[in-house]
Amino acid sequence: MRELPFALLKPVTCADTPPSVELWEGNCFQLTDLDQIWKDFDPKDVALAVDLETVDNRAHLLDSLPVTIGFADSRGAISIDLRSRPEAWLYILEGLYAHSTPLVGHNITFDASYVYRDCNKITPGEEVMRISKGRWHNWHSCTYAMYKQLANEAFFGQKYGLKQAEVDLLGWEEKGDVELDAWLCDNGYGKWTTCKETGMLKAHAKKDEMWRAPHSILGKYCASDCWATWNLLTQVLWPVAQRFPAYIELHQKYWMHLTRWLIYQQLGGNLLDVEGTKKYEQVLLAKQDEARNNFFSHPDVAKHVEDFNSQCIAQV
């Protein structure tokens, strides 16, 4: 593991494979089997890591649907295929909300926007103030934000994405998404090229099409991201955060609240005072005219304007 100039964060070496990985799809499970995810959650695990894979990545588009959801904690990791069991999606949202299960995601602005939209049956374009009264899950933290907030003394060009954090903070080898990338390229969602130096094939996958991959591949990818997120929180970030109660308040009370309002804005848009905007346009135009007149009438400017105009007239 390379040495990194962190003042607070202490990189660790942890297992890159969960104690168990379960891939659920089709009729291999009953909806009530999902209850174990929240009912058996141990508060000592701090939070339940969650990750979503979706069609597109814009929750304000109603045809942007979640296709896979994954979870991880000390028990291991699990991913559920929502394409073959779409009814599981709302069942999961209701269960997590009813038990107030603490959730952590690496980018909750993305994950929580789908959770919030579908838990409250939000239609894009609805008034933000109505949306803000909806049910909000117990989001404990966002590891991407915590990483940036606790490592802001780090180094130039630092990256805070989950894949880089796996290498820099968790001690994992940089493996890449080999199986997923290969499937995408083999199925027309990318291309293979040959490396001139090594002669090896290299995959250039279109990651925005990854939702098309079968659950046997996408589910493992999702479960791995959940496992990384949970370890990043519990092994690296949370131990540091606990030393600074004021920081925890800042992150959980203020930053997370800001994220919540950002999601409302993304789903409902911004309300505009059209008449007020038109009136203010006239105010700005008047100020613009006043500023122009003051500039050209200033003694240091006016004399040059007169000289310029005289030259133009002489040339004519």
Side-chain angles (χ1 to χ4, degrees):
M1 182 184 297
R2 64 192 180 109
E3 292 293 328
L4 298 174
F6 294 130
L8 294 174
L9 301 180
K10 304 299 181 185
V12 299
T13 300
C14 64
D16 60 0
T17 303
S20 68
V21 179
E22 298 185 34
L23 308 181
W24 289 11
E25 62 181 319
N27 294 320
C28 77
F29 67 97
Q30 301 294 323
L31 288 181
T32 52
D33 293 334
L34 296 166
D35 293 354
Q36 62 184 280
I37 295 173
W38 45 85
K39 286 186 176 180
D40 295 342
F41 172 75
D42 187 344
K44 293 180 180 179
D45 284 346
V46 184
L48 179 67
V50 60
D51 183 54
L52 280 175
E53 308 301 338
T54 64
V55 178
D56 202 286
N57 59 4
R58 294 168 291 179
H60 66 278
L61 301 178
L62 290 183
D63 57 355
S64 180
L65 301 174
V67 296
T68 298
I69 186 170
F71 301 99
D73 57 20
S74 63
R75 295 170 290 175
I78 183 174
S79 66
I80 297 96
D81 180 39
L82 301 175
R83 291 168 293 193
S84 60
R85 293 295 297 275
E87 68 275 18
W89 173 234
L90 291 182
Y91 187 89
I92 290 170
L93 299 188
E94 294 291 340
L96 293 172
Y97 182 83
H99 287 78
S100 194
T101 309
L103 304 175
V104 59
H106 192 65
N107 177 11
I108 73 157
T109 306
F110 170 76
D111 298 308
S113 61
Y114 285 88
V115 171
Y116 186 82
R117 181 194 73 180
D118 293 346
C119 185
N120 293 282
K121 298 180 175 60
I122 296 299
T123 300
E126 292 189 69
E127 292 184 1
V128 175
M129 292 307 296
R130 193 202 74 75
I131 291 178
S132 67
K133 298 176 182 178
R135 293 183 294 174
W136 180 255
H137 280 63
N138 182 16
W139 289 97
H140 174 276
S141 50
C142 172
T143 50
Y144 179 87
M146 289 187 71
Y147 189 7
K148 293 196 73 172
Q149 292 160 357
L150 295 174
N152 57 3
E153 81 294 336
F155 54 91
F156 179 76
Q158 182 180 352
K159 297 180 180 179
Y160 301 92
L162 186 59
K163 299 303 180 184
Q164 191 63 47
E166 292 173 0
V167 176
D168 291 343
L169 293 179
L170 300 181
W172 296 5
E173 292 183 11
E174 189 171 358
K175 301 177 181 178
D177 305 319
V178 178
E179 188 176 15
L180 176 62
D181 289 351
W183 186 92
L184 289 169
C185 291
D186 289 344
N187 287 273
Y189 304 109
K191 63 179 181 180
W192 292 99
T193 60
T194 302
C195 179
K196 294 181 180 179
E197 289 77 15
T198 63
M200 301 289 289
L201 287 177
K202 184 176 182 180
H204 299 272
K206 297 180 180 178
K207 286 299 182 67
D208 56 346
E209 301 291 344
M210 61 188 288
W211 62 271
R212 299 179 184 276
H215 192 62
S216 59
I217 295 175
L218 187 62
K220 285 189 288 186
Y221 174 91
C222 181
S224 177
D225 279 359
C226 290
W227 179 243
T229 299
W230 184 76
N231 277 280
L232 183 59
L233 175 70
T234 59
Q235 306 301 314
V236 181
L237 300 174
W238 194 243
V240 174
Q242 287 181 302
R243 293 162 49 192
F244 306 99
Y247 167 73
I248 294 179
E249 181 182 20
L250 171 69
H251 181 79
Q252 295 187 325
K253 183 177 180 180
Y254 296 103
W255 191 89
M256 298 291 279
H257 185 68
L258 178 63
T259 300
R260 182 176 180 176
W261 276 99
L262 175 61
I263 290 173
Y264 297 157
Q265 184 273 325
Q266 289 178 340
L267 293 176
N270 288 321
L271 297 178
L272 296 178
D273 182 352
V274 178
E275 292 303 317
T277 302
K278 291 179 179 178
K279 291 178 181 179
Y280 190 55
E281 179 185 22
Q282 298 306 312
V283 172
L284 292 178
L285 289 174
K287 289 184 177 181
Q288 177 181 304
D289 291 339
E290 181 182 3
R292 184 189 297 109
N293 293 334
N294 290 340
F295 175 77
F296 285 113
S297 62
H298 192 280
D300 292 338
V301 177
K303 60 183 179 181
H304 295 291
V305 173
E306 292 176 3
D307 291 343
F308 177 78
N309 289 338
S310 298
Q311 293 176 11
C312 290
I313 293 172
Q315 291 176 1
V316 173

